[in-house]
Amino acid sequence: MSVKKKGKKTKTGPSKTVILNKPVIAVTGSAGKTTTKEMIYAILQRRMPTYRSMYNKNFLGNTRAHVSRLRDEHKAAVLEFGILRSGHIRQHCQIIQPNLGVITNIGTAHIGNFGGDIGRLAMAKSELIRNMKSTGIVFLNWDCPYSRQFTQQPFAGTFAGRFVTFGVEQEAHYRADSIAQEEGGISFVCSFQQQREAMFIPILGEHNVYNALAAIAVAHTLGIPFQEIREGLRRFQPQRKRLVSYRLAHNVQVLDDTYSSNPDAAKAAIDVLSQSGHSTKIAVLASMLEMGCYEVRGHEEVGEYLSQKNVDYLYTLGRSARHIARAAIRAGFPANRVMHCPNKEVLHRSLAKRMKPDTTFLVKGSHRLKMGETVQFLCNVLARGKRKPR
């Protein structure tokens, strides 16, 4: 393997591992990987030329491609490591070895590939700790009960480096409080030792505070002052189809969260919908894929959760999503405000009947279901106006 950059190559099995003498930050986790990676990049790029994984491209082939794209002029790299099976994170690390690692959380994404066993999923994610630089730094979400186990065996392996924590509820090195939803984003205060720093992220959803805390922890550990971190986060650009808000004519809002879906992400999106200031709130939820034996229970959890939130109507699409509808009704959500649709044509006709001023629509579902088509329908047909992303 030819590598045109500084750094030595060492043999690890059938291929060579690229080891670079610069910060190489790997981001993995069940949710928030791309957003966290982009937040880290937004901060570091202000201080130094930084290489990053593009978009959400996080498979092994993408990591191999980084080898030929990294250059000497890049003073840092932030890479997203994805996973579908056990061993994938280890393989990422065998291609390019990180010296800093971020595990955003352990949740239910891809849990079907692990027999519905979140413990197995956690062990697979923790491969990052055991295969990155053994004297590096690992950043952990201290509010995640599985992540709190990562400092112990068997998760830590021979790792002899340092753990840095972030969170909201638990005592952590970097902790957020005074979280408030504002026009166009979220404000909060980050506490570190005796310092308290006001921060703002231009993205909806309080769950994104965790992603911001991870980025703050990485940047500050690398020596970047809070003022630069604050400016970097303010200039962060949210990724398409990840809780992007479109404001339309007649005070209609569409929340596009159609890149992917799992129970944790769906609940977070429902929270954003329920906090909308509009008079009518409509959830459009499609099936969540790759759930395996957790399929029924995972969808039921979302329906039960939604039933307790400030949501007016529920529309579901897809075979598995019917469990969302049934569970919501069983938990007390009015049955006459729930509709399970057999296809998008029926869904769109039904949504057209809900076209009223002062309404928020949340559209969410797994990527393969192409729920972006429903977002397009709402933007172009229902609102009858040019969509304006914010």
Side-chain angles (χ1 to χ4, degrees):
M1 181 184 295
S2 176
V3 183
K4 299 178 179 179
K5 56 180 71 63
K6 293 180 180 178
K8 58 184 179 179
K9 297 173 285 184
T10 59
K11 191 74 174 176
T12 58
S15 61
K16 294 181 179 180
T17 301
V18 175
I19 302 176
L20 301 174
N21 297 319
K22 62 185 72 175
V24 178
I25 305 134
V27 182
T28 193
S30 293
K33 293 185 295 297
T34 302
T35 299
T36 299
K37 180 256 300 181
E38 291 294 327
M39 286 181 171
I40 294 171
Y41 174 81
I43 298 168
L44 296 190
Q45 184 65 15
R46 293 178 56 81
R47 171 62 68 95
M48 65 190 84
T50 302
Y51 180 88
R52 62 172 164 170
S53 304
M54 292 304 294
Y55 309 111
N56 62 300
K57 296 182 177 180
N58 59 23
F59 294 119
L60 291 169
N62 304 123
T63 300
R64 294 188 188 98
H66 298 324
V67 173
S68 61
R69 294 171 183 166
L70 277 159
R71 298 287 183 266
D72 286 346
E73 56 263 30
H74 295 126
K75 302 307 177 186
V78 54
L79 311 176
E80 183 177 336
F81 285 2
I83 178 174
L84 290 177
R85 299 283 190 276
S86 296
H88 282 180
I89 297 295
R90 173 180 51 80
Q91 291 175 270
H92 281 291
C93 293
Q94 288 177 338
I95 299 169
I96 301 176
Q97 186 184 65
N99 42 50
L100 296 97
V102 179
I103 302 179
T104 58
N105 51 46
I106 302 299
T108 49
H110 307 302
I111 196 171
N113 296 336
F114 297 86
D117 186 342
I118 198 166
R120 286 177 55 195
L121 174 61
M123 180 59 74
K125 294 288 187 181
S126 68
E127 290 175 10
L128 178 62
I129 304 171
R130 298 188 296 280
N131 292 279
M132 62 181 282
K133 183 179 180 180
S134 62
T135 55
I137 305 173
V138 176
F139 299 84
L140 297 176
N141 180 342
W142 216 232
D143 289 352
C144 172
Y146 291 95
S147 296
R148 290 199 296 274
Q149 299 178 33
F150 286 167
T151 61
Q152 309 298 322
Q153 297 297 340
F155 300 102
T158 59
F159 182 75
R162 181 157 59 100
F163 290 98
V164 175
T165 61
F166 58 91
V168 176
E169 299 169 359
Q170 300 290 323
E171 290 293 338
H173 294 111
Y174 295 84
R175 189 178 183 187
D177 59 39
S178 303
I179 301 170
Q181 184 164 310
E182 298 184 3
E183 181 66 25
I186 302 289
S187 66
F188 63 96
V189 174
C190 176
S191 296
F192 173 76
Q193 295 179 352
Q194 302 303 313
Q195 293 178 261
R196 287 179 57 79
E197 300 287 339
M199 298 287 173
F200 177 83
I201 49 175
I203 186 172
L204 299 175
E206 292 187 9
H207 59 285
N208 281 306
V209 171
Y210 287 98
N211 302 327
L213 283 172
I216 292 167
V218 169
H220 193 246
T221 299
L222 290 174
I224 298 178
F226 282 115
Q227 178 58 36
E228 288 190 43
I229 293 173
R230 183 163 31 248
E231 290 303 316
L233 287 178
R234 277 190 170 275
R235 298 188 183 189
F236 157 76
Q237 295 293 318
Q239 298 293 288
R240 293 177 60 248
K241 300 186 177 184
R242 296 173 189 268
L243 266 180
V244 174
S245 171
Y246 294 105
R247 296 282 187 179
L248 307 169
H250 313 300
N251 198 29
V252 172
Q253 180 184 27
V254 177
L255 297 173
D256 180 356
D257 200 25
T258 59
Y259 174 71
S260 64
S261 191
N262 61 68
D264 296 326
K267 292 173 188 176
I270 289 167
D271 284 341
V272 175
L273 172 66
S274 68
Q275 293 166 7
S276 165
H278 291 72
S279 60
T280 303
K281 303 172 181 64
I282 300 173
V284 184
L285 305 179
S287 295
M288 300 176 289
L289 306 180
E290 298 181 350
M291 300 293 291
C293 62
Y294 193 64
E295 174 188 348
V296 174
R297 185 64 203 137
H299 286 82
E300 288 178 340
E301 284 181 6
V302 172
E304 292 165 1
Y305 189 82
L306 179 139
S307 71
Q308 306 303 314
K309 296 296 178 175
N310 183 22
V311 177
D312 297 294
Y313 294 94
L314 169 63
Y315 291 84
T316 57
L317 176 71
R319 182 181 62 83
S320 299
R322 72 185 188 276
H323 298 297
I324 298 176
R326 292 172 180 173
I329 293 171
R330 285 200 303 266
F333 197 88
N336 62 348
R337 296 192 170 202
V338 177
M339 181 173 183
H340 180 71
C341 303
N343 54 56
K344 281 184 190 161
E345 182 179 355
V346 173
L347 172 65
H348 292 176
R349 284 203 308 265
S350 301
L351 291 178
K353 299 175 182 178
R354 299 294 171 200
M355 185 180 64
K356 296 180 181 179
D358 199 30
T359 298
T360 297
F361 295 89
L362 165 67
V363 185
K364 187 162 185 62
S366 285
H367 185 68
R368 292 209 305 267
L369 296 181
K370 298 180 180 179
M371 293 305 291
E373 295 172 356
T374 299
V375 172
Q376 196 68 41
F377 173 80
L378 291 168
C379 289
N380 293 344
V381 179
L382 287 183
R384 293 179 298 179
K386 185 178 180 181
R387 62 183 182 176
K388 300 176 181 178
R390 48 172 280 239

